[in-house]
Amino acid sequence: MKVLVVGSGGREHAIIKKIKENKNVECIYALPGNAGMADDAVLTGIKADDKAGIVKFALDSKIDYAVVAPDNPLVDGCVDALEAEGIPCFGPQAKAAIIEGSKVFSKDLMKKYGIPTAAYEVFSDAKAAQKYVESCPIPTVIKADGLALGKGVIIAMSREEAKDAIKSIMEDKQFGDSGNNIVIEEFLEGPEVSVLSFTDGKTVVPMISSMDHKRAMDGDQGLNTGGMGTIAPNPYYTKEVADRCMEEIFLPTMAAMNKEGRTFKGCLYFGLMITKDGPKVIEYNCRFGDPETQVVLPLLKTDLLDVMMAVTEERLADINVEWADESACCVIMASKGYPQSYEKGYEMDIPADVKPCVYVAGAAEKDGKLVTNGGRVLGCTATAADLPAAIDAAYKMVKRISFGNAYYRNDIGSKALAALGKDK
Ligand code: AMP
Ligand code: GLY
């Protein structure tokens, strides 16, 4: 089989490495991929947002199966375009990807179908929004409606901050048209859990739970990033919480999307907060999380491509999706300065025995050598019998990898260890 994977980051590298385990796969193409994946996939240089180019490549190369991983192409209908040419895909069509593409849509969906989430108001007028935050409870949370590279959420700790956020999103158009509408919602408190799930519109199969570490610095200090590390499973996701989530969130979401004529097929990501009143949805994503995928897929025992194809063919109920009874930890190595300005072009040294555990997000080739080419450069994942061992093993590998201006958090997993009563 010839498989193509749209995207270029660490998440895509993890998907590619896992798909490569399938015996029927003869070739995997990355569109565009990055130089750090060259051992695992053929790099094409075709950009993830070049819908017409992707379809043409798929037809010319006689692709048997396509995986569309990032949010932008999904929301933009890349799956629709491939399917129109008869190419089977993993990923939702645009009409279902809207669950991530519009926060107004997802909040209204949850309200309509009684799915637990933060209370909210929608505004299309900046003045009305400004007036609202003069008297609403503080802290409050301001969210741009559309995609904003993961930066469209502002937790305002004061009325001033709330007003500034409304101005920059709605008036200064910091995120372009994504900020034409905003959601202002109740500030929730509690541990966060990421649950990715496979769904074919008939069955939901939650994957192993995980915990992201979004802030740039140790102790959850500093700016929000795309994610500085992950662990799985998440200790806050107990059996009791999982059962409630299935009953109150996962199944109702799938049913709601079906009712709306927007059947979701692919990976539906539930960003959850475990509040004192039970689990609530913070956000939906229409795709695998990054860097959640880098801890979840290494624990998957069932063949990933088999599961994906079962989703496409709507026979997920017939597949037994199994997970290793282990833990995983992924530490992201970034370029110093990320998520703000940083330098690129430093030579990378990754020992050969560590390579299988490394998912490269931002690398390029220069004079035959691998050099850094992004804010998040790579993720290093270890799996082990328990979480302390996985964390130790991940950091041991990280210390053996070197590149100029490398930066990583030293406390990935420490909150989870504390929850398990295993903190040092
Ligand atoms: P999102 O981009 O929707 O994942 O939001 C980014 C982060 O903002 C989340 O991971 C939460 O930590 C935080 N957040 C989002 N919505 C809320 C909320 N209603 N209350 C508290 N924190 C929130
Ligand atoms: N790690 C969060 C996300 O993928 O959106």
Side-chain angles (χ1 to χ4, degrees):
M1 278 182 76
K2 291 180 179 175
V3 178
L4 75 73
V5 175
V6 175
S8 64
R11 163 185 57 200
E12 286 75 9
H13 198 182
I15 291 171
I16 286 167
K17 280 196 178 182
K18 201 72 190 174
I19 289 179
K20 213 177 143 187
E21 292 174 9
N22 183 299
K23 300 275 178 294
N24 297 320
V25 172
E26 58 190 87
C27 189
I28 306 177
Y29 298 93
L31 283 71
N34 75 68
M37 304 174 182
D39 290 345
D40 300 304
V42 177
L43 309 179
T44 64
I46 296 169
K47 298 254 165 63
D49 59 3
D50 178 7
K51 194 162 53 178
I54 292 169
V55 173
K56 182 172 182 317
F57 178 86
L59 292 172
D60 290 349
S61 308
K62 302 201 165 29
I63 293 296
D64 299 294
Y65 194 71
V67 179
V68 182
D71 47 359
N72 274 305
L74 288 166
V75 171
D76 186 40
C78 189
V79 165
D80 310 53
L82 286 162
E83 284 179 348
E85 296 296 338
I87 294 152
C89 291
F90 184 84
Q93 296 179 343
K95 65 174 188 240
I98 191 175
I99 199 164
E100 175 171 2
S102 167
K103 294 211 193 287
V104 174
F105 171 86
S106 65
K107 294 298 290 190
D108 288 349
L109 184 86
M110 287 186 267
K111 187 190 251 179
K112 182 169 170 187
Y113 292 93
I115 297 165
T117 188
Y120 72 104
E121 299 283 338
V122 174
F123 295 92
S124 55
D125 175 52
K127 281 206 182 69
Q130 299 284 13
K131 187 158 192 324
Y132 176 78
V133 297
E134 275 167 18
S135 58
C136 76
I138 295 290
T140 189
V141 184
I142 320 258
K143 301 187 172 184
D145 176 37
L147 296 180
L149 300 169
K151 294 180 183 145
V153 174
I154 290 130
I155 314 275
M157 303 306 292
S158 67
R159 295 193 198 286
E160 275 310 297
E161 266 185 68
K163 289 193 157 188
D164 288 348
I166 293 166
K167 181 174 178 298
S168 66
I169 298 175
M170 298 191 91
E171 289 171 2
D172 305 342
K173 297 276 178 207
Q174 187 188 358
F175 307 114
D177 285 345
S178 285
N180 289 351
N181 296 301
I182 60 166
V183 170
I184 302 186
E185 71 178 30
E186 173 196 7
F187 176 75
L188 297 178
E189 285 176 279
E192 286 184 59
V193 180
S194 305
V195 180
L196 285 56
S197 70
F198 294 108
T199 174
D200 61 358
K202 296 174 176 163
T203 309
V204 188
V205 177
M207 301 184 211
I208 209 158
S209 63
S210 54
M211 183 192 288
D212 196 0
H213 297 70
K214 287 200 166 102
R215 299 296 195 100
M217 299 193 302
D218 286 3
D220 290 336
Q221 302 294 310
L223 294 171
N224 255 318
T225 70
M228 293 301 293
T230 35
I231 58 96
N234 185 322
Y236 290 104
Y237 195 67
T238 59
K239 167 93 175 62
E240 190 207 339
V241 171
D243 288 347
R244 277 191 77 171
C245 287
M246 182 56 99
E247 196 71 20
E248 297 171 19
I249 297 173
F250 304 162
L251 292 171
T253 301
M254 180 179 70
M257 291 297 276
N258 285 339
K259 268 235 168 85
E260 296 294 310
R262 296 175 183 273
T263 295
F264 190 104
K265 288 167 64 173
C267 173
L268 181 53
Y269 166 132
F270 299 91
L272 306 167
M273 199 170 268
I274 316 303
T275 73
K276 61 178 178 8
D277 303 320
K280 294 192 180 181
V281 176
I282 288 282
E283 63 163 347
Y284 293 115
N285 290 325
C286 65
R287 52 171 174 86
F288 284 96
D290 189 344
E292 284 90 342
T293 307
Q294 292 90 310
V295 282
V296 169
L297 290 187
L299 295 173
L300 176 62
K301 290 207 296 189
T302 314
D303 183 88
L304 175 63
L305 191 59
D306 285 351
V307 180
M308 288 179 154
M309 288 172 67
V311 167
T312 306
E313 293 162 15
E314 296 179 22
R315 46 176 183 78
L316 183 58
D318 302 338
I319 294 251
N320 189 16
V321 182
E322 291 186 296
W323 301 93
D325 186 16
E326 295 181 359
S327 294
C329 173
C330 174
V331 177
I332 298 292
M333 297 182 75
S335 300
K336 201 169 153 221
Y338 171 76
Q340 291 174 302
S341 61
Y342 52 83
E343 294 170 6
K344 303 187 211 177
Y346 291 101
E347 200 173 314
M348 298 165 63
D349 179 30
I350 309 172
D353 61 307
V354 174
K355 266 194 180 160
C357 305
V358 168
Y359 303 110
V360 182
E365 202 197 295
K366 196 174 154 205
D367 305 329
K369 301 215 167 98
L370 207 58
V371 298
T372 60
N373 192 38
R376 288 192 296 176
V377 175
L378 59 83
C380 196
T381 297
T383 59
D386 59 21
L387 187 61
I391 294 170
D392 267 5
Y395 276 107
K396 278 202 177 104
M397 287 193 283
V398 162
K399 292 194 170 103
R400 296 184 54 214
I401 296 170
S402 60
F403 54 83
N405 277 3
Y407 170 78
Y408 54 88
R409 272 180 65 162
N410 289 290
D411 66 343
I412 301 303
S414 61
K415 235 187 317 181
L417 288 182
L420 292 167
K422 289 187 179 170
D423 49 334
K424 292 166 195 153

